[in-house]
């Protein structure tokens, strides 16, 4: 640090993050926004979608982030293409945000301890799809979201952070989803910062 410099860039190496999406990309947008802060320990350098028409691709490009679609249906072909894109961008952390393909054990192993996901329930409750309707049907009083490391089992990896929301008497799956989404947008940037700060 230069003597006499009162403020300047933080003395940390920001981890290079890719976000994998399939749709609207609202969580991706919150990660991009959070990473604008100069003291945030990560930067979003790439967005990858498995759907060419994902709205999140446009949001990422408008924010100045490289964004590509990898649309191969065959999983090995798709994962090889994603890995090429991640390696070309020197990515260190992969954040799944509404990415709707299940990744192979090989892919998960390649990114072990560097692959995270956000899931709209308080895991281990309600892994899989339709979490809000299932939480209502089960009469839950609390619901929420989880950021976890990805392992070979779907929605099973170690929890990094969770956020709770109340379930209200007149909730529908849509109103509950909207409340959980607000919590997701607060939780994911904090959890990604924790993961980035933990890595060497
Ligand atoms: C979020 O609810 C996320 O938890 C789930 O899929 C949704 C994606 O929404 N995995 P968005 O694309 O981030 O807006």
């Amino acid at each position: 640090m230069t003597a006499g410099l009162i403020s300047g860039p933080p003395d940390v190496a920001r981890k290079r993050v890719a976000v994998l999406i399939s749709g609207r990309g609202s969580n991706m947008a919150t990660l991009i926004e959070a990473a604008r802060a100069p003291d945030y320990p990560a930067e979003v350098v790439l967005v990858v979608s498995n759907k060419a028409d994902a709205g999140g691709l446009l949001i990422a490009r408008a924010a100045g982030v490289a964004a590509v679609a990898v649309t191969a249906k065959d999983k090995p072909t798709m994962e090889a293409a994603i890995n090429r894109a991640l390696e070309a961008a020197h990515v260190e952390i992969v954040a799944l945000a509404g990415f709707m393909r299940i990744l192979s054990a090989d892919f998960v192993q390649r990114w072990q301890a560097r692959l995270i996901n956000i899931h709209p329930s308080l895991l281990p409750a309600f892994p899989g799809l339709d979490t809000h309707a299932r939480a209502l049907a089960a009469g839950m009083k609390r619901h929420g979201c989880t950021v976890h490391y990805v392992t070979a089992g779907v929605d099973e990896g170690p929890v990094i952070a969770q956020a709770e929301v109340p379930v209200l008497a007149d909730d529908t799956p849509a109103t509950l989803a909207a409340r959980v989404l607000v919590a997701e947008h607060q939780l994911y940037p904090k959890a990604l910062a924790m993961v980035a700060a933990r890595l060497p």
Side-chain angles (χ1 to χ4, degrees):
M1 195 62 80
T2 310
L5 195 64
I6 294 167
S7 66
D11 200 12
V12 292
R14 282 147 60 81
K15 296 292 184 296
R16 297 174 66 80
V17 176
V19 186
L20 270 53
I21 64 169
S22 298
R24 68 188 166 188
S26 70
N27 278 288
M28 171 215 75
T30 66
L31 297 181
I32 291 172
E33 180 60 29
R36 285 189 204 281
D39 59 348
Y40 194 79
E43 59 182 318
V44 179
V45 297
L46 180 65
V47 169
V48 180
S49 171
N50 69 316
K51 299 278 186 191
D53 60 354
L57 288 171
L58 302 178
I59 296 171
R61 289 177 191 138
V65 177
V68 296
V70 172
T71 56
K73 293 281 173 277
D74 170 70
K75 191 176 290 189
T77 306
M78 176 193 75
E79 290 185 346
I82 292 175
N83 269 327
R84 279 196 299 275
L86 297 177
E87 283 160 17
H90 304 287
V91 165
E92 301 169 278
I93 299 172
V94 180
L96 308 182
F99 184 69
M100 298 304 288
R101 295 287 304 266
I102 294 172
L103 294 163
S104 72
D106 282 350
F107 187 96
V108 170
Q109 176 65 28
R110 161 71 182 81
W111 293 98
Q112 191 187 12
R114 294 171 178 273
L115 178 59
I116 64 176
N117 180 45
I118 188 157
H119 181 76
S121 77
L122 295 171
L123 290 173
F126 310 117
L129 299 176
D130 300 323
T131 56
H132 310 302
R134 288 159 60 209
L136 288 176
M140 306 302 291
K141 297 283 176 263
R142 312 287 300 171
H143 187 43
C145 52
T146 303
V147 177
H148 64 96
Y149 288 104
V150 176
T151 55
V154 175
D155 300 330
E156 277 184 7
V159 169
I160 298 160
Q162 292 185 307
E164 282 191 11
V165 301
V167 178
L168 305 183
D170 58 352
D171 264 335
T172 64
T175 61
L176 184 54
R179 191 174 311 115
V180 171
L181 192 63
V182 172
E184 292 185 45
H185 293 167
Q186 294 166 350
L187 182 70
Y188 212 175
K190 288 182 194 156
L192 174 60
M194 288 165 59
V195 169
R198 278 178 198 166
L199 282 174

